[in-house]
Amino acid sequence: MEQAADREKIPALFLLKCLLFSYIVTVVLLAVLAFLLYKLGLGEKLVSGAIIAIYVLATVLGGLIAGKRMQNRRFMWGLLVGAAYFVILAVVSLVFDQGSIQVGRSFFTTLVLCAGGGMLGGMMS
């Protein structure tokens, strides 16, 4: 009975590690982008596109790691990592924006890109 409980805890802990890895990748890449923005004076459209690419890359890598560990339904585990990444991102944005998050087209686009990126990573594993 204890072994069944341990098996249930392992995927949750592992998924948290995948999320942590994804956020570390995000922080590093956003720091590089900030440096490039400071040195090169990049345009707003380029920076917005780069931020989206960073989100997708981070979720693809998180989904890839999750899919490699799980033996079946890899796409689902990747999708779960991508969706959890988005939820945490939305909650942090809500907290730092003091409760005034705008649910618009970009909100749902980011959700689809994060979840899709995670699922793609899971399928590539």
Side-chain angles (χ1 to χ4, degrees), residues 106-123:
S106 64
F107 182 84
F108 292 109
T109 302
T110 306
L111 168 63
V112 169
L113 288 172
C114 289
M119 186 169 63
L120 177 64
M123 289 189 303

Side-chain angles (χ1 to χ4, degrees), residues 8-125:
E8 292 299 319
K9 289 181 185 178
I10 291 172
L13 182 62
F14 180 71
L15 291 177
L16 287 176
K17 289 179 183 178
C18 291
L19 282 171
L20 179 64
F21 176 76
S22 292
Y23 277 109
I24 289 170
V25 168
T26 301
V27 167
V28 169
L29 291 177
L30 285 177
V32 169
L33 179 63
F35 177 75
L36 291 174
L37 179 62
Y38 174 72
K39 287 294 185 182
L40 303 176
L42 303 174
E44 185 179 339
K45 286 186 179 182
L46 184 62
V47 171
S48 295
I51 290 171
I52 290 170
I54 289 169
Y55 289 163
V56 172
L57 179 63
T59 55
V60 165
L61 292 175
L64 188 69
I65 293 170
K68 285 211 181 274
R69 170 80 189 279
M70 304 302 171
Q71 296 300 316
N72 55 3
R73 296 185 184 161
R74 294 176 181 188
F75 71 95
M76 184 191 73
W77 293 108
L79 178 69
L80 186 63
V81 168
Y85 179 93
F86 173 77
V87 167
I88 293 170
L89 189 68
V91 168
V92 168
S93 296
L94 185 66
V95 167
F96 282 110
D97 231 4
Q98 291 146 0
S100 64
I101 195 166
Q102 296 177 354
V103 178
R105 193 169 60 189
S106 64
F107 182 84
F108 292 109
T109 302
T110 306
L111 168 63
V112 169
L113 288 172
C114 289
M119 186 169 63
L120 177 64
M123 289 189 303
M124 288 178 7
S125 63

